[in-house]
Amino acid sequence: KNEVEQSPQNLTAQEGEFITINCSYSVGISALHWLQQHPGGGIVSLFMLSSGKKKHGRLIATINIQEKHSSLHITASHPRDSAVYICAVRSRSNTGNQFYFGTGTSLTVIP
Amino acid sequence: DTEVTQTPKHLVMGMTNKKSLKCEQHMGHRAMYWYKQKAKKPPELMFVYSYEKLSINESVPSRFSPECPNSSLLNLHLHALQPEDSALYLCASSQVFRKGGTEAFFGQGTRLTVV
């Protein structure tokens, strides 16, 4: 079993739709990251959360530490949002330097 | 400067070649990471350096040899690779562990093809 589970694996939406991607994890964490990866590889960090909720533009991320669950929401989706979204958690291990990655959600937004 | 710079962007090498991947950051981060990512899969951790010392080695074959010559640079030396080692190699950096977590920054990756 993966330490981090994401759903859905693939998502197709019409431009303008509200999108939710979910992430559940099973390890103790110090922080959870939402990452965006475009074709070509580079990964961009969207959010780092240890509690509550954060908002950047049309993106909103929430985390429930007790339920070990996080969601990434995209409002008014746009074709340029098409990418793979990855949930990653930073473990609360002795070294504290281990990330566990979800399998990613491939989002396609159709004009 | 919040960039992690990886060079080269693309690399094609033969199985008998020796090459190196380079990663650089100037954010003062003392934790640096190498990840390997195959197509349509999440990144897999290979190595972690903390304060320029190797702290995690995820059972990576010895044909991959990491090096952290100083706090800004991370290298991955490659020798006698196999075609199945073809992948995207990602470098990341962050502050070393602290309560509440720290931001991780990723490079654009080096797309490696072994022929």
Side-chain angles (χ1 to χ4, degrees):
Chain A
K1 184 183 185 301
N2 292 337
E3 289 84 356
V4 181
E5 299 278 354
Q6 264 185 257
S7 62
Q9 276 193 303
N10 296 286
L11 183 54
T12 301
Q14 290 288 333
E15 183 173 357
E17 282 186 11
F18 181 83
I19 287 162
T20 296
I21 300 170
N22 294 302
C23 175
S24 298
Y25 54 91
S26 58
V27 295
I29 69 167
S30 61
L32 181 144
H33 300 254
W34 280 103
L35 310 170
Q36 181 191 58
Q37 187 172 31
H38 280 283
I43 292 178
V44 173
S45 179
L46 299 174
F47 294 103
M48 183 193 74
L49 295 161
S50 53
S51 65
K53 177 179 174 178
K54 286 190 177 179
K55 184 176 189 292
H56 289 155
R58 295 180 294 105
L59 303 179
I60 303 165
T62 63
I63 188 168
N64 185 318
I65 297 292
Q66 285 73 32
E67 294 186 5
K68 296 190 172 180
H69 181 268
S70 176
S71 293
L72 175 69
H73 306 286
I74 305 175
T75 62
S77 58
H78 190 276
R80 64 175 174 266
D81 297 326
S82 299
V84 175
Y85 293 83
I86 303 169
C87 172
V89 300
R90 185 160 181 170
S91 73
R92 214 188 312 125
S93 68
N94 287 339
T95 61
N97 287 335
Q98 185 124 4
F99 283 92
Y100 296 97
F101 289 84
T103 51
T105 296
S106 180
L107 171 65
T108 303
V109 181
I110 300 168
Chain B
D1 181 7
T2 57
E3 273 196 5
V4 175
T5 303
Q6 286 188 245
T7 53
K9 288 190 168 41
H10 300 273
L11 179 62
V12 179
M13 60 185 289
M15 289 190 283
T16 57
N17 291 160
K18 282 186 182 179
K19 296 285 184 184
S20 296
L21 309 185
K22 182 179 168 184
C23 174
E24 194 168 1
Q25 56 86 18
H26 297 285
M27 294 177 277
H29 291 166
R30 304 300 294 276
M32 295 185 77
Y33 315 75
W34 279 117
Y35 291 89
K36 173 183 176 181
Q37 187 178 28
K38 302 285 274 185
K40 299 190 188 302
K41 298 285 187 186
E44 296 171 18
L45 183 66
M46 298 175 74
F47 303 105
V48 180
Y49 274 83
S50 293
Y51 299 107
E52 297 83 68
K53 286 186 171 34
L54 184 64
S55 62
I56 294 176
N57 176 343
E58 289 290 330
S59 302
V60 179
S62 59
R63 57 186 184 269
F64 295 91
S65 174
E67 179 198 18
C68 190
N70 60 57
S71 60
S72 299
L73 272 178
L74 184 67
N75 298 320
L76 186 63
H77 303 297
L78 313 172
H79 173 55
L81 294 195
Q82 304 295 312
E84 59 264 28
D85 296 322
S86 299
L88 180 70
Y89 288 84
L90 290 160
C91 173
S93 74
S94 72
Q95 297 286 358
V96 180
F97 173 78
R98 65 177 187 218
K99 188 177 176 182
T102 61
E103 195 75 47
F105 294 83
F106 285 82
Q108 290 292 309
T110 294
R111 189 156 302 278
L112 173 68
T113 304
V114 181
V115 297

